[in-house]
């Protein structure tokens, strides 16, 4: 395997990263402002990935999104509604705002442990049913075995599959690749996975599924954002970043917002390049903005 660190002129520096994260943490309270929280709200993928999801519960979630601006007229709409593939049609039939995308986790989420043919079929079907965005998990069975070419080739094939299905409908589909950073353990492995996914065609790299014991962390996010910056300097292609898993508080949101702003700059603070995978955080942001406890979603 080629040396990604030499290729992109970047190697994770844990000490420098630790100092930067300490500075960010020390200033977080000052970042909790209405404009920042509304910006975070606009970049949410409102998510329901529960074992007991039903068509009825997903329709109820979509109706909450549909009616959001009736309840809170000065709020932006979230970026997308994220569901399992079998609920894509339900979301599409119920959703009334074109600007809110449909995101499907696919490719045998969350473990990615199956035949590639099965993953391709599921991803392709999700696009055929109307998904605007596909979130897949890096094949950790190959990556952790250091079979990097196989891990890369799987992403490339999924990229090709969803592009073909989207082209048949005259549209494009966004591909997010979840690295499952809590299982990678070291900044060096997170960086390798980041570069591998971006080279293979990821439009976004995402921290976590939310289904393992360690999910999004500021250190993983900082490393991934530094990789995105290095990749952009080398290729000129902007790749997005999505923290997900265990993100619930207002300070969580502001922390990741500040990391992206610090490492990648203001131009990344847009839903086209920055997303949050959330379930609880939406209510906590509304509660902070309204200065009372709100359980809207």
């Amino acid at each position: 395997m080629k040396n990604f660190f030499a290729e992109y002129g970047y190697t994770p520096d844990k000490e420098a990263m630790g100092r930067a994260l300490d500075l960010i943490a020390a200033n977080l309270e000052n970042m909790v402002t209405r404009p920042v929280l509304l910006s975070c709200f606009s970049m949410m993928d409102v998510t329901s990935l529960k074992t007991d999801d039903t068509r009825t519960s997903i329709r109820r979630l979509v109706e909450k999104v549909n009616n959001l601006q009736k309840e809170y007229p000065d709020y932006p709409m979230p970026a997308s509604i994220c569901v399992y593939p079998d609920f894509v049609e339900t979301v599409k039939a119920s959703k009334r705002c074109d600007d809110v995308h449909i995101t499907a986790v696919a490719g045998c989420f969350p473990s990615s442990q199956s035949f590639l043919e099965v993953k391709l079929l599921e991803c392709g079907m999700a696009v055929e049913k109307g998904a605007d965005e596909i979130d897949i998990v890096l094949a950790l069975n190959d990556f952790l075995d250091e079979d990097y070419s196989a891990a890369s080739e799987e992403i490339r094939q999924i990229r090709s599959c969803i592009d073909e299905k989207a082209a048949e409908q005259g549209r494009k589909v966004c591909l997010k690749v979840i690295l499952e950073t809590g299982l990678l353990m070291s900044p060096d492995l997170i960086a390798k996975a980041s570069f591998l996914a971006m080279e293979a065609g990821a439009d976004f790299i995402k921290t976590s599924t939310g289904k393992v014991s360690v999910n999004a962390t500021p250190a993983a996010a900082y490393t991934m954002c530094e990789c995105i910056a290095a990749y952009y300097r080398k290729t000129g292609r902007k790749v997005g970043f999505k923290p997900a898993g265990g993100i619930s508080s207002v300070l969580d949101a502001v922390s990741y917002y500040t990391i992206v702003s610090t490492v990648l700059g203001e131009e990344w603070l847009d839903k086209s390049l920055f997303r949050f995978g959330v379930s609880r955080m939406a209510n906590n942001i509304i509660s902070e903005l309204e200065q009372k406890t709100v359980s809207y979603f």
Side-chain angles (χ1 to χ4, degrees):
M1 180 182 179
K2 71 178 182 182
N3 187 330
F4 282 126
F5 301 150
E7 175 81 11
Y8 293 100
Y10 168 76
T11 302
D13 184 333
K14 291 179 68 173
E15 290 187 3
M17 180 171 61
R19 290 192 296 270
L21 289 173
D22 285 344
L23 288 172
I24 288 171
N27 194 47
L28 275 189
E29 295 286 352
N30 296 326
M31 289 295 296
V32 182
T33 65
R34 187 175 184 86
V36 167
L37 293 181
L38 288 174
S39 181
C40 290
F41 198 89
S42 74
M43 296 182 287
M44 295 187 309
D45 290 348
V46 178
T47 301
S48 189
L49 298 173
K50 300 190 292 290
T51 303
D52 60 351
D53 283 339
T54 64
R55 286 186 292 276
T56 299
S57 68
I58 295 301
R59 279 194 291 267
R60 190 180 303 123
L61 175 63
V62 177
E63 280 304 302
K64 291 287 187 181
V65 174
N66 286 339
N67 294 322
L68 176 71
Q69 291 183 329
K70 293 179 183 177
E71 297 288 331
Y72 302 101
D74 60 338
Y75 283 33
M77 295 296 280
S80 86
I81 299 168
C82 180
V83 295
Y84 283 113
D86 50 327
F87 294 117
V88 167
E89 284 186 301
T90 302
V91 177
K92 185 176 181 181
S94 305
K95 184 173 67 73
R96 295 196 295 270
C97 179
D98 290 341
D99 288 340
V100 177
H101 284 184
I102 304 170
T103 299
V105 295
C108 301
F109 176 96
S111 69
S112 192
Q113 296 280 21
S114 190
F115 304 104
L116 177 56
E117 292 84 355
V118 175
K119 299 178 189 181
L120 292 170
L121 180 62
E122 185 179 56
C123 291
M125 288 180 67
V127 173
E128 288 176 336
K129 300 298 184 184
D132 303 295
E133 306 179 2
I134 298 293
D135 288 16
I136 64 168
V137 181
L138 172 69
L140 290 177
N141 53 359
D142 290 323
F143 185 84
L144 294 175
D145 238 4
E146 299 186 7
D147 190 348
Y148 301 123
S149 61
S152 176
E153 179 60 21
E154 177 165 299
I155 296 171
R156 293 179 192 279
Q157 289 200 37
I158 292 173
R159 168 92 266 176
S160 178
C161 170
I162 66 173
D163 285 349
E164 180 181 338
K165 296 298 183 183
E168 290 172 0
Q169 300 173 340
R171 59 195 186 94
K172 293 184 178 180
V173 170
C174 174
L175 176 65
K176 307 191 199 87
V177 177
I178 304 164
L179 307 185
E180 203 67 290
T181 54
L183 299 181
L184 298 182
M185 306 305 290
S186 75
D188 281 6
L189 271 183
I190 291 170
K192 286 180 182 178
S194 298
F195 287 126
L196 182 150
M198 290 188 287
E199 281 197 350
D203 295 307
F204 275 72
I205 51 175
K206 176 178 170 181
T207 58
S208 319
T209 62
K211 304 296 185 182
V212 297
S213 59
V214 178
N215 292 291
T217 65
Y222 203 95
T223 300
M224 292 168 68
C225 287
E226 287 198 316
C227 290
I228 290 169
Y231 182 80
Y232 175 61
R233 287 193 297 270
K234 179 69 182 290
T235 68
R237 185 169 81 90
K238 292 180 179 178
V239 173
F241 171 64
K242 179 177 174 179
I247 299 172
S248 61
S249 74
V250 166
L251 287 180
D252 287 339
V254 171
S255 175
Y256 291 110
Y257 179 98
T258 307
I259 288 169
V260 170
S261 176
T262 300
V263 179
L264 294 169
E266 297 290 319
E267 59 193 307
W268 255 264
L269 299 176
D270 180 86
K271 67 181 180 180
S272 65
L273 290 168
F274 183 26
R275 297 289 182 85
F276 292 96
V278 305
S279 53
R280 293 169 293 166
M281 191 182 88
N283 284 333
N284 289 332
I285 289 179
I286 297 174
S287 296
E288 179 69 23
L289 289 168
E290 299 300 315
Q291 289 296 292
K292 62 182 181 181
T293 301
V294 176
S295 297
Y296 180 78
F297 286 103

